[in-house]
Amino acid sequence: MGKQNYSMKDDMKKYPHYFFDEFTRSILPESEMSERNPILFRNYQRHHFVEKSIRKSNPTEYARFEYLQKMIYVPAEMNYDLSSGMGEKLFFEKWGINKYDAVFNKQKWLENYYDI
């Protein structure tokens, strides 16, 4: 089996889009961004909810929870905090949102945290 290549462009077409709203401290559909001043998003970056490393290192496992994948537009600093291993408590204190609402966690998935 050949190596699968993924691009942000392809992912942007494939997965739903959301953004972190600093006013409500929640993840909202990207369509609601138009209700905010665009200057608020100048330091935002695209973030994969289910980290790309999972898809690359274990595609079979990734297939089990790909249905949760979404692209989230987040502040650059939040993107760093999500990837740096910041603890749940500190993340919540800083951002006002549960860390695992912004990044996938397999243990939380096994505990049915993401079930609607």
Side-chain angles (χ1 to χ4, degrees):
M1 187 165 108
K3 183 180 178 197
Q4 179 73 40
N5 290 318
Y6 302 100
S7 73
M8 181 66 84
K9 184 179 176 183
D10 291 341
D11 287 352
M12 291 298 296
K13 291 177 186 173
K14 185 173 184 178
Y15 302 113
H17 302 179
Y18 292 83
F19 76 104
F20 174 72
D21 181 42
E22 293 197 58
F23 294 115
T24 62
R25 300 291 179 183
S26 59
I27 307 248
L28 300 173
E30 196 170 276
S31 60
E32 294 184 30
M33 283 179 76
S34 62
E35 300 169 16
R36 309 287 189 272
N37 185 331
I39 196 95
L40 297 172
F41 306 111
R42 72 183 182 281
N43 292 317
Y44 273 47
Q45 298 174 341
R46 294 279 176 211
H47 159 74
H48 286 82
F49 175 71
V50 181
E51 295 176 291
K52 294 180 294 186
S53 61
I54 297 171
R55 177 169 64 188
K56 290 177 183 174
S57 64
N58 196 339
T60 304
E61 176 116 315
Y62 176 78
R64 294 172 61 201
F65 31 77
E66 182 180 12
Y67 70 95
L68 293 169
Q69 185 64 287
K70 58 188 159 220
M71 305 303 298
I72 308 172
Y73 206 43
V74 298
E77 188 175 349
M78 177 189 271
N79 202 15
Y80 174 79
D81 291 344
L82 288 167
S83 62
S84 70
M86 178 182 279
E88 286 180 75
K89 186 175 189 282
L90 182 57
F91 188 88
F92 185 82
E93 288 171 2
K94 182 174 183 178
W95 295 105
I97 188 172
N98 185 312
K99 178 179 180 179
Y100 299 117
D101 289 344
V103 69
F104 176 80
N105 176 275
K106 185 177 178 185
Q107 187 58 44
K108 293 287 187 187
W109 179 71
L110 291 170
E111 296 167 2
N112 300 317
Y113 179 81
Y114 301 112
D115 289 357
I116 297 174

